């Protein structure tokens, strides 16, 4: 077992009940004017501060590696270093360890309440790819847009379908964005009009962050895939359905999706998620050999929730899904992405695709929840929504939980501002 995952550990830092960040989590992020940080409960931990005070002297680390505006440099050091660092943090913040606990001056320098901190994008994202790996989602969309009898296109069960997204417009939770404008064709016409989208949607997703680069011309096997993954974040792939419907043939989504994608600020390591591994859904027909899984529990049980909050209205939970429903796993996505020799770089982001479950209350987009607008979402005060309106806030939450520990992601939250 990974030492830092021991469910019996307790910290001398107070952890509120149902906190996403017990001592067993220790995710990584970047905070404005603090650089690389971790968190326990509501207490943000300055890694640069701890390094400066020699609390990491037993670990081989470049000088000032944490005094940075991205985690890329730290991630480049490799999995053994992430694991050792996380184990060291676990040791340092254990209830019975007085090293830092009883050093008031060091604590003042290295610990700060989350309310006093602004979280930034955790990594410099070179490339961002978005998969389409939920069978339920692909079937729902295929049923609505094409034919319920042939909801999945012929390739879908044989490869994890994806498109190349846009890294420049990935934004961190808390940053709001403007309603996008573009071309769309009104129903039953083939002549486009220009304007702001009238069908702004969400996509409930997670993303994994590449932790080890590869050379052009080489591939990553499913067996080695997880050596190349640093951790995961929550991901909202905002989508303008009317723009998408007009533009997506034949090369896939473009302006309908690249105006903004919101991520949660804390990268939860695959190590921290280890206790929540579960078997992935059975794949039928059998996949080609390069996509076969090398190990057993390749999926992760992560509970996912979406809340919609119109201006001046209570937030309403509109979806409860789970990452474990995904037909294609991270290992398969990465093996497929690189099988042609495409290289990957530390900090690259690979999003899962909309994560819909089997029942309507687990659908991961408004398109599916309202079934193309046929069943609007109704709020207790009478407000209704088919798609997002200006002033609406969407919050994605996610956590893995068993009877001993809860490993959470925090949230990915943003508000829709009027078109400019
Ligand atoms: Mn998507």
């Amino acid at each position: 077992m990974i030492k830092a995952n021991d469910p019996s550990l307790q910290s001398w830092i107070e952890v509120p009940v149902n906190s996403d960040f017990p001592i067993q989590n220790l995710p990584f992020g970047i905070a404005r004017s603090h650089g690389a940080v971790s968190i326990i409960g509501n207490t943000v931990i300055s890694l640069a501060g701890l390094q400066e005070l020699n609390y990491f002297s037993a670990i081989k680390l470049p000088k000032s590696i944490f005094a940075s505006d991205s985690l890329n440099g730290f991630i480049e050091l490799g999995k053994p270093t992430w694991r050792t660092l996380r184990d060291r943090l676990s040791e340092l913040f254990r209830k019975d360890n007085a090293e830092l606990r009883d050093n008031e001056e060091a604590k003042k320098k290295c610990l700060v309440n989350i309310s006093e901190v602004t979280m930034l994008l955790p990594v410099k994202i070179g490339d961002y790819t978005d998969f389409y790996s939920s069978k339920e989602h692909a079937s729902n969309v295929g049923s609505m847009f094409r034919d319920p009898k042939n909801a999945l296109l012929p390739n879908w069960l044989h490869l994890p379908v994806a498109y190349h997204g846009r890294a420049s417009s990935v934004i961190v939770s808390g940053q709001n964005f403007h309603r996008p404008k573009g071309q769309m064709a009104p129903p039953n016409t083939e002549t486009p009009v220009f304007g702001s989208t009238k069908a702004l949607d969400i996509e409930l997703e997670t993303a994994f962050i590449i932790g080890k680069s590869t050379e052009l011309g080489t591939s990553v096997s499913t067996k080695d895939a997880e050596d190349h993954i640093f951790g995961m974040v929550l991901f909202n792939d905002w989508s303008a359905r009317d723009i998408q419907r007009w533009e997506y043939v034949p090369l896939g989504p473009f302006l309908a999706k690249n105006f903004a994608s919101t991520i949660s600020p804390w990268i939860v390591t695959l190590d921290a998620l280890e206790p929540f591994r579960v078997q992935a859904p059975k794949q039928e027909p059998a996949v080609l050999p390069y996509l076969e899984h090398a190990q057993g529990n390749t999926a992760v049980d992560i509970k996912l929730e979406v809340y919609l909050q119109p201006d001046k209205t209570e937030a309403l939970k509109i979806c409860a899904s789970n990452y474990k429903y995904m037909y294609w796993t991270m290992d398969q996505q990465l093996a497929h992405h690189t099988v042609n020799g495409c290289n990957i770089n530390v900090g690259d982001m690979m999003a899962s695709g909309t994560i819909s479950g089997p029942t309507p209350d687990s659908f991961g987009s408004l398109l599916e929840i309202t079934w193309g607008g046929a069943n609007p979402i109704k709020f207790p005060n009478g407000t209704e929504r088919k798609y997002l309106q200006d002033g609406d806030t969407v919050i994605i939450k996610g956590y893995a939980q068993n009877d001993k520990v809860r490993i959470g992601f925090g949230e990915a939250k943003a508000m829709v501002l009027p078109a400019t």
Side-chain angles (χ1 to χ4, degrees), residues 130 163 203 205 237 257 353-354:
D130 192 26
Y163 67 93
E203 289 192 338
E205 305 192 18
D237 179 21
K257 287 168 179 279
T354 308

Side-chain angles (χ1 to χ4, degrees), residues 12 40 368 400:
W12 49 261
I40 295 176
E368 294 164 87

